[in-house]
Amino acid sequence: RRFVSKKSATNSLTGALCVIGDEILSGKTLDINSFYFAKRCFELGVQVEKIEIVPDQYESISNSLQRLSQNHDIVFTSGGIGPTHDDITYDAVSRAFGSKLAYHEDTLARMRRIMKSRGSLTMPDPQGTAEQIAMARMALLPANAQVVYPCEEYWVPVVSVMGRVHVFPGIPKLFENLVDAYLPGLVARLSGETVLAFTRALVGIQQRESAIAPILDKLQERYAPMGVKIGSYPDWVPKKQPTTNEVSSDWKPTVVVSVVGKNKEQVEACRAEICLLLDGIDLGTNTP
């Protein structure tokens, strides 16, 4: 299938994440993968437009992935690829995109090699014991998928379907390491050009949010055509405090305004106006 970009208004690749798991929706498990996905996409200049959390249900997963893949360049999944009955992500992906499941021999061989090196006495085998069959289930992949192994130390693959949907495990350490190894190359390949990251500038203000809203509205209207976004966050203090001699060490803003865009000069110009018009304090610039 030919890749057709769904680039955003800022001329960025667009991203979405489908988080899969009843444990997330029931409050049993805290989802931190969506935070990491959004953070890494920001650093690589990908505009994340949607994060969905769906239960361990075939229809919910399939519908979400079909919808997200129609509207975004990069769609990652998180969760649902283990050995138990409720790990149905690969099957749901197959159903969503008209494929069938088949044992992936390279993944099975990789599982056996790495598990053996770690001292495991039980190996995955589709024709073996109940436990071996359950283990082999993690190598039962969509037949039309592209399968890559971004991390040499893991047997866990990244499974890609239709050029847009990329299936990841839900275990945070695995998810983060695989994203780090896989996403930069994917972005470079899809963009076909030098990756331009986002810049985020922060301004601390000691005024009520309602008092600064009219000025921020006017600034956003003026800077929006340049792909610059202004956000306002009351009662939030960034990790990095101002180092300027203009304020005392115990100075705390009542509102932090963020300015985000891909053109650093435009972001800095907007930040300077906010500081001037609202007596703001520069809290620094966040760029990779």
Side-chain angles (χ1 to χ4, degrees):
R1 177 180 175 182
R2 186 173 66 90
F3 182 84
V4 180
S5 177
K6 309 289 184 181
K7 284 189 176 182
S8 67
T10 59
N11 200 34
S12 304
L13 292 171
T14 59
L17 176 67
C18 178
V19 181
I20 300 161
D22 292 341
E23 69 277 11
I24 304 295
L25 292 171
S26 68
K28 176 181 177 292
T29 300
L30 176 66
D31 167 42
I32 60 175
N33 290 344
S34 58
F35 166 79
Y36 196 79
F37 173 76
K39 175 178 177 290
R40 292 296 284 126
C41 283
F42 181 88
E43 293 168 349
L44 292 167
V46 177
Q47 180 70 55
V48 175
E49 296 184 334
K50 184 83 69 173
I51 295 176
E52 295 186 358
I53 304 176
V54 299
D56 296 309
Q57 297 175 357
Y58 289 106
E59 185 175 2
S60 297
I61 299 170
S62 295
N63 289 345
S64 176
L65 294 179
Q66 287 174 339
R67 182 174 60 255
L68 294 176
S69 64
Q70 289 173 357
N71 297 298
H72 302 89
D73 297 308
I74 297 171
V75 179
F76 279 19
T77 74
S78 165
I81 61 171
T84 60
H85 68 281
D86 56 346
D87 292 312
I88 61 172
T89 298
Y90 288 143
D91 197 359
V93 170
S94 293
R95 299 185 188 196
F97 300 105
S99 184
K100 294 182 179 180
L101 291 176
Y103 286 106
H104 193 261
E105 293 301 328
D106 287 348
T107 299
L108 282 171
R110 190 179 179 89
M111 289 174 70
R112 292 171 183 139
R113 175 174 59 81
I114 293 179
M115 287 179 176
K116 183 178 181 180
S117 71
R118 295 176 180 174
S120 176
L121 299 178
T122 304
M123 295 294 148
D125 184 349
Q127 308 299 324
T129 66
E131 182 181 2
Q132 290 176 310
I133 293 171
M135 294 172 70
R137 190 169 183 264
M138 294 184 285
L140 197 55
L141 310 180
N144 64 346
Q146 291 182 315
V147 181
V148 298
Y149 308 97
C151 295
E152 182 58 34
E153 65 269 32
Y154 300 144
W155 62 261
V156 183
V158 171
V159 176
S160 176
V161 178
M162 306 298 288
R164 293 190 191 276
V165 177
H166 311 270
V167 182
F168 284 75
I171 298 172
K173 181 180 179 181
L174 289 177
F175 181 86
E176 292 175 9
N177 289 342
L178 287 168
V179 167
D180 286 345
Y182 183 78
L183 183 59
L186 177 66
V187 172
R189 187 168 71 252
L190 295 182
S191 65
E193 55 193 37
T194 302
V195 176
L196 186 60
F198 286 105
T199 294
R200 179 191 287 118
L202 300 177
V203 178
I205 299 170
Q206 285 190 324
Q207 298 186 48
R208 296 188 310 277
E209 193 175 31
S210 57
I212 68 175
I215 292 176
L216 294 182
D217 288 347
K218 291 180 180 179
L219 286 172
Q220 180 62 88
E221 183 177 357
R222 183 149 55 83
Y223 277 93
M226 307 176 198
V228 173
K229 285 187 176 182
I230 301 172
S232 175
Y233 307 95
D235 300 320
W236 175 75
V237 179
K239 294 180 180 179
K240 181 180 179 181
Q241 287 296 297
T243 57
T244 174
N245 293 326
E246 297 175 14
V247 297
S248 62
S249 59
D250 61 350
W251 181 90
K252 294 290 188 297
T254 55
V255 179
V256 172
V257 174
S258 76
V259 184
V260 175
K262 286 199 166 185
N263 186 303
K264 188 174 181 179
E265 288 72 24
Q266 292 170 349
V267 170
E268 295 288 0
C270 183
R271 188 248 298 276
E273 285 198 63
I274 293 172
C275 287
L276 178 66
L277 295 172
L278 298 175
D279 194 25
I281 298 296
D282 180 1
L283 297 182
T285 301
N286 177 14
T287 53

